[in-house]
């Protein structure tokens, strides 16, 4: 007797006409970190922040660039945010009508004294998410990650939106001559970030969400290393998916393994590297019971393709903007990276659908036929 089986379960996807969730990460190069080019005496190492006529034109350019280019991004994660009042006013003038802003400052070497820069998160006011809170976690001496909690914005100010937890990350520069030391330090920082993200998820307020409701988790930012690094590997070992690798698999441009998006940074040594990443995973409240950071499941071909769950959450696209990253007229020495995610909300059958949906049944394994595999059980 023949029967139809599937090596991987089939699932149903609600495909809607609603806009995809857009996440952008961008290291904007704080003026306190930019050495002025073409200095008469390089030994002085003058910083852009020392004179307003040096830093102000670039700050205005970056602020307007973000306002124009990323006005449709739901969340923008900025690294190297400068905590200068005039700098902040420039950004607020350009983006405050569109985005809410929350920032976390880095601690200094002396207790009670902060550094001049840190991390910043912009959440679009009429976007798919609403900002709930922001915290910071110390990842190393004078280094932090920003942990942001957002909630899905429902129509008509409805309650019960799904939770989103974001780790805005900036790992240490690999400045040691020993590559192993650099790699291990970055992996340790990534582990601290994952633990902080898990704690935020464990504190999830169940009064506003069903215990079975899924949440979206995002780790992104400037890793100061590429997608093959120990830090990136640790994130993926915890079932996060690299958006670039997933889209490369979708386009059949990858034969397996980590993929870089291309040059996203020109460092102070002149090296052109790919260091800005976005990782995603979907988890549920029940994943928190052991208190560990991992949401360990066997990775399958669907996950590698960016299908994050059986409800249709998937990575649609990822791109970098090809701005100049070297020379005297740059906006930043980094290029922004944006990922778009389909994150459909399945509605109960007794609810009236306000949008047009198509019920699509598809296999998790793209090489498996939609009707399954026919096997003969010998009977």
């Amino acid at each position: 007797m023949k029967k139809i089986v599937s090596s991987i379960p089939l699932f149903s996807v609600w495909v809607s006409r609603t806009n995809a969730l857009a996440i952008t990460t961008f290291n904007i190069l704080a003026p306190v970190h930019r050495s002025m080019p073409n200095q008469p005496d390089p030994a002085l190492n003058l910083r852009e922040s020392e004179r307003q006529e040096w830093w102000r034109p670039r700050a205005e350019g970056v602020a307007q660039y973000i306002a124009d280019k990323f006005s449709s991004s739901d969340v923008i994660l900025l690294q190297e945010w400068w905590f200068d009042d005039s700098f902040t006013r420039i950004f607020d003038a350009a983006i405050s009508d569109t985005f809410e802003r929350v920032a976390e400052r880095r601690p200094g070497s002396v207790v009670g004294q902060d550094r001049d820069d840190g991390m910043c998160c912009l959440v679009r006011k009429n976007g798919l998410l609403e900002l709930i809170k922001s915290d910071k976690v110390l990842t190393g001496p004078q280094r932090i990650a920003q942990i942001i909690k957002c909630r899905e914005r429902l129509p008509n100010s409805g309650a019960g939106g799904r939770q989103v937890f974001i780790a805005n990350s900036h790992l240490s520069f690999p400045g040691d001559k020993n590559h192993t030391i650099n790699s291990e330090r970055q992996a340790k920082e990534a582990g601290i970030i994952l633990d902080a993200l898990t704690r935020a998820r464990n504190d999830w307020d169940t009064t506003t969400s069903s215990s079975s409701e899924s949440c979206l988790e995002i780790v992104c930012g400037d890793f100061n290393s590429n997608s093959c690094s120990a830090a990136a590997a640790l994130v993926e070992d915890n079932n996060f998916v690299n958006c670039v690798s997933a889209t490369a698999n979708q386009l059949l441009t990858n034969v397996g393994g980590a993929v870089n998006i291309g040059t996203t940074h020109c460092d102070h040594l002149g090296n052109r590297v790919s260091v800005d990443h976005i990782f995603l995973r979907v988890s549920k409240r029940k994943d928190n019971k052991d208190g560990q950071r991992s949401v360990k499941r066997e990775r399958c071909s669907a996950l590698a393709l960016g299908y994050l769950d059986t409800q249709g959450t998937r990575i649609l696209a990822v791109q970098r903007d090809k701005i100049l990253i070297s020379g005297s007229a740059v906006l930043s020495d980094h290029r922004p990276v944006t990922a778009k995610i389909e994150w459909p909300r399945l509605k109960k059958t007794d609810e009236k659908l306000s949008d047009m949906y198509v019920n699509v049944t598809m296999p998790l394994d793209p090489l498996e036929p939609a009707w399954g595999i026919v096997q003969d059980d010998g009977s």
Side-chain angles (χ1 to χ4, degrees), residues 22-191:
I23 307 294
T24 297
T25 179
F26 187 21
N27 184 322
I28 59 175
L29 179 57
V32 290
H33 295 314
R34 189 189 185 202
S35 297
M36 287 304 295
N38 306 318
Q39 295 184 38
D41 183 3
L44 294 176
N45 194 24
L46 297 177
R47 296 303 171 107
E48 185 182 63
S49 58
E50 295 181 35
R51 298 182 185 176
Q52 186 170 121
E53 62 268 27
W54 288 351
W55 66 259
R56 189 179 185 91
R58 187 172 70 86
E60 291 174 340
V62 173
Q64 197 58 52
Y65 168 69
I66 290 174
D68 294 340
K69 186 72 177 182
F70 303 108
S71 60
S72 61
S73 287
D74 294 285
V75 179
I76 303 175
L77 290 312
L78 303 177
Q79 300 89 46
E80 295 196 21
W81 175 264
W82 189 28
F83 284 83
D84 175 86
D85 290 341
S86 297
F87 180 87
T88 300
R89 284 195 293 270
I90 288 172
F91 270 80
D92 284 347
I95 65 174
S96 62
D97 289 342
T98 308
F99 293 97
E100 290 184 79
R101 173 178 55 81
V102 61
E104 302 291 346
R105 196 163 182 165
R106 288 204 291 161
S109 57
V110 178
V111 176
Q113 293 185 5
D114 290 331
R115 294 284 297 267
D116 292 327
D117 71 311
M119 319 288 276
C120 181
C121 174
L122 308 178
V123 179
R124 186 156 58 99
K125 291 181 177 179
N126 63 346
L128 301 181
L129 302 177
E130 55 181 327
L131 177 65
I132 302 300
K133 64 180 295 188
S134 170
D135 289 308
K136 64 182 175 183
V137 58
L138 190 67
T139 59
Q142 303 178 56
R143 303 203 72 85
I144 64 167
Q146 184 182 20
I147 307 298
I148 307 110
K149 180 181 177 181
C150 294
R151 183 169 55 221
E152 178 186 21
R153 193 189 306 274
L154 297 181
N156 303 318
S157 301
R162 292 170 293 175
Q163 310 295 310
V164 179
F165 299 94
I166 307 170
N168 185 10
S169 312
H170 191 183
L171 305 187
S172 58
F173 183 79
D176 198 282
K177 294 181 180 179
N178 188 321
H179 174 74
T180 301
I181 291 177
N182 294 326
S183 182
E184 291 178 350
R185 181 189 300 120
Q186 289 181 344
K188 182 178 180 180
E189 292 167 0

Side-chain angles (χ1 to χ4, degrees), residues 283-353:
S283 58
K284 293 184 178 181
R285 180 76 180 174
K286 65 181 182 181
D287 292 325
N288 302 329
K289 290 182 178 179
D290 60 2
Q292 299 299 313
R293 73 170 75 128
S294 302
V295 183
K296 283 288 188 181
R297 302 186 188 94
E298 179 129 8
R299 290 180 78 91
C300 63
S301 56
L303 199 60
L305 285 165
Y307 291 90
L308 303 178
D309 61 14
T310 60
Q311 309 301 311
T313 305
R314 63 191 180 104
I315 298 164
L316 296 174
V318 62
Q319 64 179 23
R320 61 184 171 128
D321 202 33
K322 294 183 180 179
I323 60 173
L324 293 175
I325 53 174
S326 61
S328 59
V330 299
L331 290 176
S332 174
D333 57 358
H334 283 256
R335 288 170 173 156
V337 176
T338 299
K340 292 187 177 180
I341 305 105
E342 179 76 12
W343 193 36
R345 167 176 281 273
L346 296 185
K347 298 189 177 183
K348 295 179 181 180
T349 55
D350 59 350
E351 288 182 340
K352 183 178 179 180
L353 297 180

